[in-house]
Amino acid sequence: MPLVLAITAIAALTACGKAPAPPPKGNVEVTVITVAQQDTPVQFEFTAQSQSSHEVEIRARVDGFLNKRAYTEGQPVQAGQTLFLMDPKPFEAALQTATGQLAQQQARLTVAKANLARVIPLTAQNALSKKDLDDATGVEQQARAEVIAAQGQVQTAQLNLSYTTIKSPINGLSSFARMQEGSYLRATSEEPLTYVYQLDPIWINFSVSENEMLKYHDQIAKGLLRFPTNQDFEVSLILADGSLFPTRGHINFANPSFSSQTGTFLVRAEFANPKGALRPGQFVRAQVAGAMRPKAVLVPQRAVQQGAKGHFVWVVDKDSKAHPRVVEVGDWSGDNWFILEGLQPGERVIVDGAIRVAPDAEVKIIDAPAAPKPVASVK
């Protein structure tokens, strides 16, 4: 009897140790969005670089010795401010010589005029020949021409003297001096004395590739993209630290031809820069706004997957069954993706839970969870 009880107890323990049978598998729970068309603003982003809107090379216009650098390198300068002073003594001497030669020619002209005035009445009385009149007239005209030439020499000497004071033609930011005091300057030198950069306004240059331009033109032809009237794009700048430049600019120039070296299309935007926060040569990101995608279809990026045939989404039919659909994607818009082809208004696209979905499987549509509220950061 005890043996029977022991066997019975062991059997009962064995039965209790069996794993429970798995519950029947239910439908996969998913969240969906309903496809809708809407006119959606779109912006394009390019790597860009700043450039002075007026970059001036400061050069010597006459040969001579540099006496003094009259500005502080790297500081703002005003139009008309003296930057360099050359030795003026040789040019003052040249001006004095030219002035003396002018005085000589003016004296000769006075004599020639007086002689002609005496010859004219004598010729009329036949006291002198016609040749004497012609000679006197020629001498007077030659003296007059020599006075004009001497006046030109004086003006040239005055200009050369003025060029010894080298001034800035614009308001801007100065660069360092390439030549120091005591250097001999040549007007034909390839090296400028310094540069002055106008900072307000400042230009932002970026390039659009040929492939991008062809893509935009193709989308415009298909009605998938619309540019603003008169190409009035608005440009925002993202600086290297991720901050947004406070003012916005507008495109003021687009090169009419592609570069043969790079195969790109140069575009330039102009920005007000009154405080000089942007300096020439900075790398920034230019966000160009103003274009529109009419009747655009947007789906969250996480709803789009990559397969052997390209990008696809899961579409739920009226029987709540999921089917993969190949789509043509465009650009990103925040957390969404533009769908150029493959979806129709009113169709339902799976957003969450698609990773567990099988083709033609029935799914259970649930409400999407509310997005968590942002938590303020503590500094």
Side-chain angles (χ1 to χ4, degrees), residues 146-166:
E146 288 174 348
V147 167
I148 294 173
Q151 289 173 337
Q153 292 297 324
V154 170
Q155 291 177 355
T156 299
Q158 289 173 336
L159 279 175
N160 289 339
L161 178 60
S162 69
Y163 291 155
T164 62
T165 301
I166 302 173

Side-chain angles (χ1 to χ4, degrees), residues 33-369:
I33 62 166
T34 301
V35 175
Q37 292 180 328
Q38 56 182 342
D39 291 351
T40 307
V42 62
Q43 65 180 17
F44 309 104
E45 186 170 300
F46 304 93
T47 299
Q49 190 173 21
S50 57
Q51 177 191 356
S52 168
S53 57
H54 196 171
E55 179 179 325
V56 179
E57 294 181 346
I58 305 300
R59 293 182 175 272
R61 302 180 71 172
V62 291
D63 297 346
F65 285 96
L66 178 61
N67 274 359
K68 182 181 179 181
R69 170 175 55 82
Y71 75 102
T72 302
E73 295 170 302
Q75 294 300 310
V77 295
Q78 302 299 315
Q81 179 178 337
T82 300
L83 303 180
F84 297 94
L85 291 171
M86 297 177 64
D87 183 8
K89 295 183 182 63
F91 302 95
E92 291 172 346
L95 175 59
Q96 188 173 3
T97 299
T99 303
Q101 291 175 347
L102 174 61
Q104 289 179 353
Q105 298 303 331
Q106 288 174 334
R108 290 173 183 170
L109 176 60
T110 301
V111 172
K113 286 182 177 179
N115 185 47
L116 178 61
R118 288 192 297 270
V119 169
I120 291 175
L122 293 175
T123 304
Q125 298 171 9
N126 294 322
L128 292 176
S129 66
K130 184 70 168 56
K131 182 180 182 301
D132 293 330
L133 176 61
D134 293 341
D135 290 343
T137 302
V139 169
E140 191 272 343
Q141 291 176 345
Q142 182 178 358
R144 190 183 301 276
E146 288 174 348
V147 167
I148 294 173
Q151 289 173 337
Q153 292 297 324
V154 170
Q155 291 177 355
T156 299
Q158 289 173 336
L159 279 175
N160 289 339
L161 178 60
S162 69
Y163 291 155
T164 62
T165 301
I166 302 173
K167 300 180 180 182
S168 173
I170 62 170
N171 298 335
L173 191 68
S174 63
S175 180
F176 66 92
R178 271 68 171 175
M179 304 293 285
Q180 302 302 323
E181 289 86 344
S183 301
Y184 187 77
L185 308 182
R186 294 187 180 275
T188 57
S189 174
E190 295 182 358
E191 180 72 12
L193 296 176
T194 189
Y195 290 87
V196 176
Y197 305 94
Q198 182 173 323
L199 300 183
D200 185 26
I202 197 164
W203 289 343
I204 301 296
N205 297 323
F206 57 92
S207 297
V208 183
S209 70
E210 185 177 359
N211 288 338
E212 287 175 314
M213 288 299 298
L214 292 174
K215 180 183 71 173
Y216 297 152
H217 290 162
D218 180 63
Q219 293 180 2
I220 290 173
K222 292 179 179 179
L224 301 175
L225 183 64
R226 186 170 65 231
F227 280 176
T229 304
N230 299 326
Q231 309 295 306
D232 187 19
F233 290 97
E234 190 175 60
V235 185
S236 303
L237 294 184
I238 306 297
L239 305 181
D241 61 356
S243 62
L244 180 67
F245 189 65
T247 61
R248 296 185 178 184
H250 291 271
I251 292 175
N252 67 345
F253 172 76
N255 204 342
S257 63
F258 285 94
S259 169
S260 58
Q261 285 78 25
T262 62
T264 57
F265 183 74
L266 176 65
V267 181
R268 185 176 71 204
E270 185 174 285
F271 282 77
N273 188 34
K275 296 182 179 180
L278 279 177
R279 299 294 179 91
Q282 284 185 245
F283 283 97
V284 295
R285 284 181 291 147
Q287 295 181 336
V288 182
M292 182 79 67
R293 293 199 180 275
K295 298 181 179 179
V297 173
L298 285 170
V299 300
Q301 293 178 18
R302 63 183 186 276
V304 182
Q305 301 183 33
Q306 182 75 38
K309 296 182 179 180
H311 295 91
F312 71 95
V313 297
W314 290 94
V315 177
V316 179
D317 63 17
K318 61 181 181 357
D319 298 324
S320 297
K321 292 184 178 181
H323 308 281
R325 177 81 60 79
V326 176
V327 294
E328 180 183 347
V329 299
D331 303 316
W332 286 4
S333 177
D335 294 330
N336 298 317
W337 218 331
F338 283 106
I339 304 299
L340 303 181
E341 293 183 5
L343 291 176
Q344 298 297 324
E347 292 185 313
R348 295 179 296 176
V349 174
I350 295 177
V351 177
D352 298 307
I355 192 69
R356 295 172 290 136
V357 174
D360 301 324
E362 189 172 344
V363 296
K364 180 180 179 181
I365 299 175
I366 62 173
D367 293 334

